[in-house]
Amino acid sequence: MKKPAALILALVFILLPLRAAAQSAGQDEAFMRECFALARQAIQRGDDPFGAVLVKDGKIIMRGINSVHTEHDFSRHAEINLLSAAVQEYGAEGIKGSTLYSSCEPCVMCSGAIELAENLVVRVVYGLSAQRLVDMVGEGKALSDQSFFKWAGNRLKVEGPVLEAEAEAVIREYLEHAGKGPARR
């Protein structure tokens, strides 16, 4: 009689983490798709195709889009816009422990801003890798966030690419919208 109970208990301990991981992956995909929608908004405004959301306790608390061209400021990347607005609205304590989702792996400037946020963001999830973006656009340089945060001594968890094919589709839309034709491979 004890063996079936022990077996059931063992199965519960095995299956519950798997269920939680599946739920987390589903949430990551939903939040990533919100980033893609924001990136498309940026394209329509005449900006570069990047969007980001800040999530705390499983809810989006702030959205940000790239505004480099509309604000005539090279530093107005989606992640920086997002973090700046979130700290203004909620204060540092209000965003502590959050996850930042970005349509593309944050650049070195944005990763620096995340680092300077003093561990308020504990996890970064991105759609398209920086290297893949460089490959698609045909110019630029890429440094992985994992390399950057490791170099900085930050134990921030970085995950991606998530829904990379959908992220690539957004970049292709941008390139076509900008009259640059299909992305080079």
Side-chain angles (χ1 to χ4, degrees), residues 55-101:
V55 173
K56 185 167 179 181
D57 300 325
K59 295 182 178 138
I60 295 175
I61 61 169
M62 188 66 61
R63 291 168 173 82
I65 64 173
N66 182 288
S67 60
V68 167
H69 299 298
T70 53
E71 292 188 31
H72 309 288
D73 181 345
F74 65 87
S75 70
R76 303 315 302 164
H77 290 199
E79 299 88 346
I80 290 176
N81 289 342
L82 172 75
L83 289 172
S84 179
V87 169
Q88 290 292 320
E89 175 121 0
Y90 299 105
E93 282 302 310
I95 67 168
K96 193 171 193 171
S98 60
T99 297
L100 189 151
Y101 290 83

